[in-house]
Amino acid sequence: MQNPSRRQLLQAGVTAMFGLVASPVLARSSDTALPKGPINLVVPFAAGGATDVVSRLVTQRLGDRIQRTVVVENLSGGGGAIGAAKVARATPDGHTLLMGTIATHVINPLSMGQQLPYRAQTDFTPVSLVVTVPNVLLVNKSVKANNVRELIALIKAHPNQFSYGSSGVGTPPHLSGELFKSMMGLQMAHVPYKGGGPAMTDLIAGHIPILFDVLSGAASHIRAGSVRALAVTTSERVASFPDLPTMAESGVPGYETWTWNAVFGPAGMPRPMVDALSGALHEVVAQPDVQAQLKDLSATPVGSTPDALTQLVDSETQKWRTVIQSIGGLNKS
């Protein structure tokens, strides 16, 4: 019997800690606790990227569920830091929320330190974990590599002639790329973008040869055949792309990264309001058609309590601190 992987252990912990969508729905708080008017959900990355795709699906259903207008605002830049900082400074009345990620709440604090314009641990109110998502390694169709081993050989044969893109400095795709470079001893430059959407556009156009992206944002392009997917970054294959191998089984043993999306508000939100929003989000991702659409995007729907989201951020911070230290920090260029 194989030992469980780190992702299996963490996912099991998430399941037990959060009560995934198969568990009984959280008790519904009174609608009087909800914000009285429209809600602005800040997505700290460009339109068309993975976080944006998930956010638009969830916000549409959330608006229907709570009978409020919920609008997505894309505010990209700084690896998610610009959008996150706006929410951190907002009035804690529930009208401004953030679709946070592992970048905004874990990787940016670890890599940017005091330069970050907010404090992830104290400037936000956790509301609910929404989904967990794998990352994926992609290449332009002109790249003469049909698998990860061939790509490694190609890059090693032409050092410093290849570059890879990501959704921004310090984002999970960037960290996935740096870990790949470190483990395989590769020489290639990082090209950061203001979100996965612009990065994907340049990959398809051939302006960059390689891209690490979040699988939920890349899924439609993979199916359309506009890019070539080589491997997912999790330790197991994903159900939506069962023929796509993992990095570990493709010649990079021990390699594993993944990401998540979660809703946060500014610090100081009233607990009844937080519980009401958390319960509503839990009910949204529990809807069978929403689950089906999220899984089609290769995202695993969760839905959690605010306290459980706090625990996840803490555990992820410990995990990624170790990974960042193991590769000697992040290249900010």
Side-chain angles (χ1 to χ4, degrees):
M1 181 177 179
Q2 293 182 336
N3 292 327
S5 69
R6 182 176 66 189
R7 182 169 183 266
Q8 287 175 317
L9 290 172
L10 183 54
Q11 189 66 53
V14 167
T15 304
M17 187 164 54
F18 298 144
L20 294 181
V21 291
S23 66
V25 174
L26 295 176
R28 183 177 301 172
S29 301
S30 170
D31 285 348
T32 60
L34 291 165
K36 303 304 180 186
I39 297 173
N40 190 46
L41 181 70
V42 175
V43 174
F45 301 101
T51 301
D52 180 67
V53 171
V54 170
S55 298
R56 292 183 184 277
L57 171 59
V58 172
T59 53
Q60 179 182 358
R61 293 306 184 89
L62 177 63
D64 294 341
R65 164 67 187 82
I66 64 176
Q67 295 298 296
R68 305 287 194 279
T69 299
V70 185
V71 179
V72 168
E73 176 190 359
N74 295 97
L75 188 58
S76 61
I82 293 176
K86 175 179 179 176
V87 176
R89 295 190 298 264
T91 303
D93 55 11
H95 293 296
T96 305
L97 302 175
L98 172 72
M99 184 60 85
T101 69
I102 191 173
T104 61
H105 279 71
V106 178
I107 296 175
N108 284 351
L110 290 173
S111 61
M112 298 176 68
Q114 295 299 315
Q115 297 178 353
L116 195 64
Y118 61 86
R119 298 293 172 262
Q121 298 291 335
T122 58
D123 289 351
F124 299 92
T125 299
V127 177
S128 179
L129 176 66
V130 178
V131 296
T132 59
V133 193
N135 298 319
V136 61
L137 171 58
L138 308 159
V139 296
N140 178 271
K141 292 192 296 183
S142 66
V143 173
K144 300 183 184 304
N146 293 308
N147 55 58
V148 176
R149 288 183 176 85
E150 291 180 358
L151 181 64
I152 292 171
L154 187 63
I155 296 170
K156 287 187 174 182
H158 303 87
N160 295 315
Q161 294 186 28
F162 282 84
S163 62
Y164 79 94
S166 79
S167 52
V169 173
T171 60
H174 175 206
L175 189 58
S176 294
E178 290 301 303
L179 184 61
F180 178 51
K181 286 172 53 179
S182 175
M183 292 180 69
M184 292 292 101
L186 304 177
Q187 296 177 342
M188 61 176 178
H190 172 229
V191 182
Y193 288 81
K194 291 185 177 180
M200 180 62 73
T201 298
D202 269 13
L203 178 71
I204 294 171
H207 299 311
I208 53 173
I210 303 165
L211 175 66
F212 279 88
D213 198 10
V214 180
L215 186 53
S216 56
S220 62
H221 302 284
I222 297 172
R223 294 192 178 98
S226 53
V227 296
R228 185 184 305 138
L230 300 187
V232 292
T233 63
T234 44
S235 59
E236 296 89 29
R237 297 191 182 196
V238 297
S240 55
F241 292 94
D243 294 331
L244 191 57
T246 67
M247 294 283 286
E249 65 183 320
S250 301
V252 194
Y255 185 101
E256 181 183 18
T257 68
W258 57 313
T259 188
W260 43 262
N261 296 134
V263 173
F264 298 83
M269 285 178 61
R271 185 63 192 229
M273 179 183 292
V274 174
D275 288 339
L277 288 168
S278 179
L281 283 163
H282 191 285
E283 292 181 350
V284 165
V285 298
Q287 296 173 6
D289 60 333
V290 174
Q291 290 187 54
Q293 291 179 70
L294 288 172
K295 290 177 181 177
D296 190 56
L297 292 169
S298 302
T300 300
V302 184
S304 80
T305 66
D307 294 338
L309 177 53
T310 299
Q311 294 177 43
L312 176 69
V313 172
D314 290 344
S315 65
E316 286 284 88
T317 299
Q318 295 175 18
K319 178 185 76 174
W320 284 103
R321 179 182 290 113
T322 301
V323 173
I324 291 172
Q325 290 174 345
S326 74
I327 63 173
L330 294 174
N331 180 5
K332 296 299 180 183
S333 62

